Amino acid sequence: MKDHGKHDFELIFVSFDKNENEFKEYTSEMPWPCLPFGNDTKDILGRKYEAEGIPHLVVVDENGEVITKDGVDGVRSDESGERYPWKPKSLSELWPEKILTKSGLVDSSTLDDKYLMLYFSAHWCPPCRSFTPVLSKAYTKLKAERDDFELVFLSSDRDQASFDEYFEEMTFCALPYEEREAKNGISKQIGIQGIPSLLILGPVPANGGERPLINKSLRGVIESGDFSDFPFHRKPYGALDQAGGDINDAKCLVVFHENGDDDEQKELIDVMKAVSEKCSDKTGMKFLWALNPNGLAPQVRAAANLPKMSDKPTMIMLDLPDQGGYYVSKETDITIENVMKFVEDPGDRQQL
């Protein structure tokens, strides 16, 4: 690509080598610039550009805006760079003209003025099969209350017969199974990494353009049975069990108080909401409470070597994007002031 002079670009290697000898050996084969070994910038760039695995090639424009995070696939499928910078198609470009309802195919344009929920699932996936009946009930209940949304199933089934059998159990719409290219493109465009996955998009803007992503993690909301907050905008606070991918993608302050009585738990929730407002400048940070003795709470307690449940709350800060870092507070008096102190000075970093 450089030799042909078709594109004006530069490539920079960011090393995740374990030692400097490996770095020197590896970079000796490279014709492009490299960040110096051990440069702290690699961790910042890794988080910013979601380098959850390697190799990972990101293409950005002259303003640093991401064009694609899937440059590896771009290079593999287009070694000559004819389609560089491999800008992925938008959702509107990928979406097919028809969707499948229980009464047959209808034009996708009939959904333009509605919120759009997308459900990525498959019949062969046990967690999907457990969640689908819950989602079908929730859809029916929500449809009885409002008609400004639609829910569409995007199948990862292995054949038409499996799709047909699974779709028969659902109360909502689907992308036709034969739209494999559209389904795969949409999954990649949105960044679906596992199933079941449920998200919601806003209506198509009146002046055209792309649907805005409102919430990429709705499974916990549906399982809670409380749909009063439709269309479920993401909040900087909430229950740990409903946090979805937030605990993997953002720094999260979590307070455990499974044995607290109703008044204590309500007071804790009020404190966390108040702190989240005071910390609105801390972009992306989440404030979560764990009041359910089941669910995620015991798993997080075990992973962080926290004490067993007691009458006292436990407060920690999870920073999983920082390679599994976390911090534990000794404070058991959960007030706005004490939580704020922990936010500002969490103490010594520990490693999961």
Side-chain angles (χ1 to χ4, degrees):
M1 288 169 62
K2 275 285 191 182
D3 290 343
H4 293 160
K6 289 184 178 180
H7 308 289
D8 183 17
F9 73 96
E10 190 51 87
L11 190 153
I12 298 174
F13 171 60
V14 181
S15 171
F16 282 81
D17 287 301
K18 294 178 180 177
N19 59 63
E20 193 164 5
N21 287 335
E22 290 181 356
F23 170 79
K24 288 179 178 178
E25 179 183 355
Y26 196 25
T27 55
S28 67
E29 307 168 4
M30 298 179 180
W32 46 70
C34 311
L35 281 183
F37 179 77
N39 193 306
D40 291 340
T41 306
K42 75 175 177 65
D43 294 324
I44 297 171
L45 293 173
R47 290 194 293 271
K48 179 178 177 64
Y49 296 119
E50 299 176 5
E52 296 177 356
I54 51 175
H56 186 66
L57 178 61
V58 179
V59 181
V60 299
D61 64 19
E62 63 272 17
N63 299 313
E65 297 297 322
V66 174
I67 296 175
T68 180
K69 295 178 183 175
D70 200 15
V72 171
D73 185 61
V75 170
R76 285 173 174 163
S77 62
D78 178 35
E79 291 185 14
S80 64
E82 292 296 322
R83 297 190 299 276
Y84 177 84
W86 310 300
K87 183 177 181 179
K89 290 182 178 179
S90 64
L91 178 65
S92 61
E93 292 172 319
L94 292 164
W95 195 266
E97 293 183 358
K98 303 282 187 180
I99 62 163
L100 181 62
T101 70
K102 291 299 180 178
S103 54
L105 294 171
V106 301
D107 289 340
S108 291
S109 59
T110 60
L111 306 181
D112 285 355
D113 62 345
K114 298 178 183 291
Y115 292 94
L116 184 62
M117 300 169 74
L118 303 183
Y119 179 45
F120 298 83
S121 183
H123 189 264
W124 52 259
C125 164
C128 298
R129 292 201 305 273
S130 297
F131 179 61
T132 296
V134 178
L135 181 57
S136 287
K137 265 187 203 177
Y139 173 81
T140 302
K141 178 182 176 183
L142 203 50
K143 268 293 184 181
E145 299 172 359
R146 60 194 314 135
D147 193 37
D148 59 349
F149 80 99
E150 194 48 80
L151 171 55
V152 179
F153 162 52
L154 289 85
S155 170
S156 292
D157 288 301
R158 298 185 175 114
D159 53 56
Q160 181 76 52
S162 299
F163 168 84
D164 291 341
E165 181 182 352
Y166 197 28
F167 183 53
E168 195 65 34
E169 304 171 11
M170 300 173 180
T171 57
F172 36 84
C173 307
L175 219 62
Y177 183 75
E178 59 267 23
E179 297 286 358
R180 294 291 82 201
E181 186 176 345
K183 180 267 167 186
N184 292 333
I186 292 166
S187 295
K188 182 178 288 188
Q189 202 270 348
I190 293 175
I192 301 302
Q193 296 180 336
I195 55 175
S197 184
L198 179 67
L199 58 89
I200 186 167
L201 304 162
V204 175
N207 58 352
E210 296 300 313
R211 293 176 179 270
L213 176 62
I214 294 175
N215 195 328
K216 197 175 177 180
S217 184
L218 284 189
R219 185 177 171 187
V221 174
I222 296 302
E223 289 175 334
S224 75
D226 180 6
F227 313 136
S228 59
D229 212 15
F230 184 92
F232 318 121
H233 286 280
R234 288 168 64 99
K235 294 183 174 63
Y237 57 80
L240 176 64
D241 288 338
Q242 296 181 21
D246 283 346
I247 60 173
N248 295 316
D249 301 335
K251 186 180 290 186
C252 298
L253 190 149
V254 187
V255 179
F256 299 80
H257 201 15
E258 301 93 324
N259 284 345
D261 61 32
D262 291 347
D263 290 340
E264 289 171 334
Q265 292 184 347
K266 181 181 181 304
E267 184 178 347
L268 186 154
I269 291 172
D270 290 341
V271 166
M272 297 297 275
K273 288 180 178 180
V275 171
S276 73
E277 291 182 10
K278 287 180 173 289
C279 295
S280 58
D281 61 321
K282 298 184 183 300
T283 306
M285 189 168 183
K286 306 295 181 182
F287 298 85
L288 308 173
W289 49 83
L291 309 179
N292 179 3
N294 303 305
L296 284 177
Q299 299 176 43
V300 177
R301 277 186 178 274
N305 295 312
L306 298 179
K308 294 181 179 180
M309 293 185 301
S310 71
D311 293 335
K312 297 290 186 181
T314 299
M315 181 163 56
I316 70 170
M317 186 183 295
L318 293 174
D319 195 0
L320 300 191
D322 181 23
Q323 301 179 6
Y326 74 101
Y327 307 81
V328 180
S329 172
K330 296 179 180 179
E331 184 61 69
T332 59
D333 183 16
I334 306 302
T335 64
I336 295 174
E337 181 181 3
N338 288 339
V339 176
M340 287 296 298
K341 285 180 180 177
F342 185 50
V343 170
E344 298 300 331
D345 182 15
D348 295 334
R349 181 188 183 280
Q350 300 185 51
Q351 180 68 44
L352 289 176

